[in-house]
Amino acid sequence: DVKVTQSSRYLVKRTGEKVFLECVQDMDHENMFWYRQDPGLGLRLIYFSYDVKMKEKGDIPEGYSVSREKKERFSLILESASTNQTSMYLCASSPGVKNEQFFGPGTRLTVL
Amino acid sequence: TQLLEQSPQFLSIQEGENLTVYCNSSSVFSSLQWYRQEPGEGPVLLVTVVTGGEVKKLKRLTFQFGDARKDSSLHITAAQPGDTGLYLCAGVSNTGKLIFGQGTTLQVKP
């Protein structure tokens, strides 16, 4: 059974803290994605990666960075968390850019 | 910028009723995907429609892709409480990225 796992389901951080969100997939997929999900706004793409050490900005990359050192792992980094980054963060992977995306369960991040 | 407008955003109906969710855009998509998301979980793909005018059925769910590949609809017949969830449409853009609609929260009351 295909699986995308995320390091935490819930996370509470303080303004200014550095935050790491980890995502691991076991399907040997080339592509991995980070989205944030907010009510009424759907899913918005933050960053994606189509290969190890490769990354591309999505629609809302400001305030975020990513790291992909291994094919199965894609990390999202908030360098200095702010309250407007309180959101649900979803990681996904896919075998090809236009293919079905497989999502993790999400991390609900609250920044106080 | 390609956008997908999804409507309605909220729907609360009684078990047994029919409903339709719409996704509309001024842009053409190479294909369109429908996902369903349950509380505490990530979205899961229901179907992909590729050809203009295509109709796909998944039990009581009927998905249609517009002739011009700019819009899509999801029709549920005789909704059940188990259909409750967030439904998301996502267009595959010309760059290969998914463009998501805002989502439709469906509540089916027994």
Side-chain angles (χ1 to χ4, degrees):
Chain A
D1 200 16
V2 298
K3 204 154 188 178
V4 178
T5 55
Q6 295 184 228
S7 50
S8 306
R9 285 288 190 125
Y10 300 93
L11 213 50
V12 180
K13 295 291 181 181
R14 297 249 174 227
T15 302
E17 280 193 78
K18 192 168 186 175
V19 182
F20 293 87
L21 303 182
E22 302 281 334
C23 174
V24 178
Q25 51 100 358
D26 65 0
M27 297 164 279
D28 201 36
H29 285 167
E30 303 291 333
N31 303 283
M32 296 188 75
F33 308 82
W34 274 107
Y35 295 90
R36 64 177 281 175
Q37 183 175 29
D38 300 289
L41 296 178
L43 275 68
R44 292 179 292 166
L45 182 64
I46 304 171
Y47 267 97
F48 67 101
S49 168
Y50 51 86
D51 201 353
V52 175
K53 297 194 186 292
M54 305 300 286
K55 61 186 179 184
E56 292 278 343
K57 290 181 181 179
D59 300 316
I60 51 164
E62 296 78 19
Y64 304 94
S65 62
V66 290
S67 172
R68 193 163 180 205
E69 296 296 319
K70 292 185 178 181
K71 189 175 186 180
E72 67 271 17
R73 190 177 298 267
F74 193 33
S75 302
L76 180 69
I77 302 147
L78 286 67
E79 294 289 341
S80 177
S82 63
T83 54
N84 62 13
Q85 292 179 309
T86 291
S87 187
M88 170 69 85
Y89 289 88
L90 289 164
C91 174
S93 72
S94 74
V97 179
K98 295 188 178 185
N99 293 102
E100 170 187 3
Q101 293 190 10
F102 295 86
F103 286 85
T107 295
R108 186 165 292 283
L109 172 68
T110 302
V111 183
L112 302 174
Chain B
T1 304
Q2 291 179 290
L3 294 173
L4 258 182
E5 295 291 330
Q6 189 172 343
S7 64
Q9 286 199 27
F10 300 98
L11 208 47
S12 182
I13 60 172
Q14 293 295 133
E15 182 176 359
E17 289 185 20
N18 301 331
L19 66 115
T20 303
V21 177
Y22 299 93
C23 269
N24 295 294
S25 176
S26 57
S27 306
V28 175
F29 291 102
S30 60
S31 61
L32 197 134
Q33 301 173 358
W34 283 91
Y35 290 82
R36 182 174 155 216
Q37 184 178 17
E38 297 192 34
E41 301 297 328
V44 176
L45 183 73
L46 294 172
V47 78
T48 301
V49 285
V50 180
T51 308
E54 182 176 5
V55 177
K56 279 193 175 177
K57 294 195 177 211
L58 199 66
K59 297 182 182 176
R60 292 176 293 100
L61 278 61
T62 301
F63 303 85
Q64 187 161 7
F65 202 15
D67 291 339
R69 291 186 288 126
K70 292 182 180 181
D71 55 271
S72 182
S73 63
L74 157 61
H75 182 78
I76 302 180
T77 304
Q80 303 293 311
D83 295 327
T84 292
L86 176 68
Y87 290 82
L88 294 155
C89 61
V92 180
S93 73
N94 44 17
T95 60
K97 290 190 291 185
L98 289 186
I99 308 297
F100 281 87
Q102 301 95 323
T104 296
T105 299
L106 172 64
Q107 182 187 43
V108 182
K109 293 180 272 192

